[in-house]
Amino acid sequence: MSRHVAIVTDSTAYLPQGTMERHGITAVPLTVVLGDRALEEGTEISTRSLAQALQKRRPVTTSRPSPQVFAEHYRKVAESGATGIVSLHLSAELSGTYDAAVMAAREAPVPVRVVDTGMIAMALGFCALAAAEAAETGGTVDEAVMAAEKRAAGTSAYFYVDTLDYLRRGGRIGAAQALLGSALAVKPLLKLVGGRIEPLEKVRTASKAIARLEEIAADRAGSAPVDIAVHHLSAPDRAAALADRLRARVTGLADLHVSEVGAVIGAHTGPGLLGVVVSPR
């Protein structure tokens, strides 16, 4: 067995499976509760099934992994030869996942540093990749944590949603609550600030909102080396077109990921979501 610092994240990082395998990253699944069925994100519920349930207004909620689930993952990682674990998770403002990881870490067989990245989706994924790359070059737990926190500090996440209704239902709307009064008249752009979803701008039409999302992301990217992720839910053509425009526009682009979000984030944003994560290297 190799001795190493291992990286654990959760299923809302939405890292490609091949990337996770290449870097030895483990993802602990969150759960989507559809009616009376609890389903693991990534293995037991598809985004198509989720979108259909949302459109039919079926009750959909999400829940964190239990401390016992985290404990089992930490045990397996330790048995693989890890001498320490860095456990990186979505914003504690949006989920109790971080708290569950902290509880499990107290009983883990090797030291575990649990980090609230304040991020979601590939904003979290880029943090996990930064930590993994630090560990691969012989970095310590502290060095891997520092790499993740540095990446998080520079990363920005912006979102377009067709409606605020799903965020309102899930209680994740935060300061964007102020937009609800005019929600029928605008297409909201949102951003992640301090781990919370905050309003960014109000735009009158979907096409103008997406054009503005592109402009904001390109301006944030600048000309320095940068990774970008474009996320969507049930909007693959829109996402592909936006990614193509960013690819042509961002001169310092290193990697560009295009992916559909999983069921947990999708349950709170609804179909039609477009998101852009800008993460300078």
Side-chain angles (χ1 to χ4, degrees):
M1 292 189 299
S2 62
R3 311 299 288 175
H4 62 283
V5 172
I7 308 303
V8 173
T9 187
D10 59 66
S11 59
T12 67
Y14 302 136
L15 285 163
Q17 186 61 36
T19 300
M20 291 178 56
E21 292 173 356
R22 188 161 59 251
H23 292 280
I25 299 170
T26 299
V28 179
L30 275 72
T31 300
V32 176
V33 182
L34 189 60
D36 59 356
R37 300 176 63 206
L39 305 167
E40 283 191 356
E41 180 175 44
T43 58
E44 296 180 339
I45 180 170
S46 68
T47 50
R48 182 178 180 182
S49 298
L50 170 78
Q52 290 172 344
L54 291 172
Q55 288 163 348
K56 294 176 181 177
R57 301 188 71 83
R58 294 179 61 191
V60 179
T61 58
T62 59
S63 66
R64 69 179 192 181
S66 69
Q68 291 76 21
V69 168
F70 269 110
E72 180 64 13
H73 279 80
Y74 293 156
R75 183 187 63 78
K76 289 180 179 178
V77 169
E79 288 176 353
S80 76
T83 55
I85 297 170
V86 176
S87 197
L88 302 155
H89 300 292
L90 80 160
S91 171
E93 294 281 348
L94 301 175
S95 169
T97 299
Y98 168 81
D99 293 332
V102 168
M103 285 186 271
R106 296 174 185 146
E107 307 299 328
V110 296
V112 180
R113 284 279 299 279
V114 183
V115 179
D116 170 14
T117 65
M119 300 282 116
I120 54 175
M122 271 298 293
L124 168 58
F126 287 132
C127 294
L129 282 174
E133 289 165 358
E136 287 164 2
T137 58
T140 63
V141 165
D142 286 345
E143 289 167 336
V145 169
M146 286 175 60
E149 291 179 337
K150 181 179 179 181
R151 196 72 185 258
T155 296
S156 300
Y158 309 99
F159 309 95
Y160 160 82
V161 291
D162 273 336
T163 172
L164 291 170
D165 188 45
Y166 299 103
L167 283 164
R168 178 190 59 77
R169 287 190 224 169
R172 301 312 200 274
I173 200 166
Q177 181 82 25
L179 295 177
L180 278 174
S182 57
L184 294 177
V186 302
K187 293 297 184 181
L189 294 178
L190 309 169
K191 61 181 177 180
L192 195 64
V193 179
R196 297 181 300 274
I197 296 169
E198 304 278 4
L200 180 59
E201 293 183 8
K202 296 184 289 185
V203 187
R204 286 292 178 183
T205 67
S207 60
K208 289 180 179 178
I210 294 168
R212 183 64 180 134
L213 179 65
E214 174 192 339
E215 183 179 2
I216 291 167
D219 288 349
R220 175 68 184 88
S223 58
V226 65
D227 295 326
I228 291 178
V230 175
H231 288 303
H232 72 93
L233 181 63
S234 299
D237 294 340
R238 275 181 175 178
L242 176 57
D244 286 344
R245 294 194 299 271
L246 288 171
R247 192 177 285 111
R249 187 168 179 172
V250 177
T251 57
L253 184 63
D255 288 332
L256 191 152
H257 302 260
V258 182
S259 65
E260 191 165 32
V261 298
V264 168
I265 300 299
H268 295 291
T269 61
L273 163 78
L274 278 181
V276 180
V277 175
V278 180
S279 186
R281 290 200 166 192

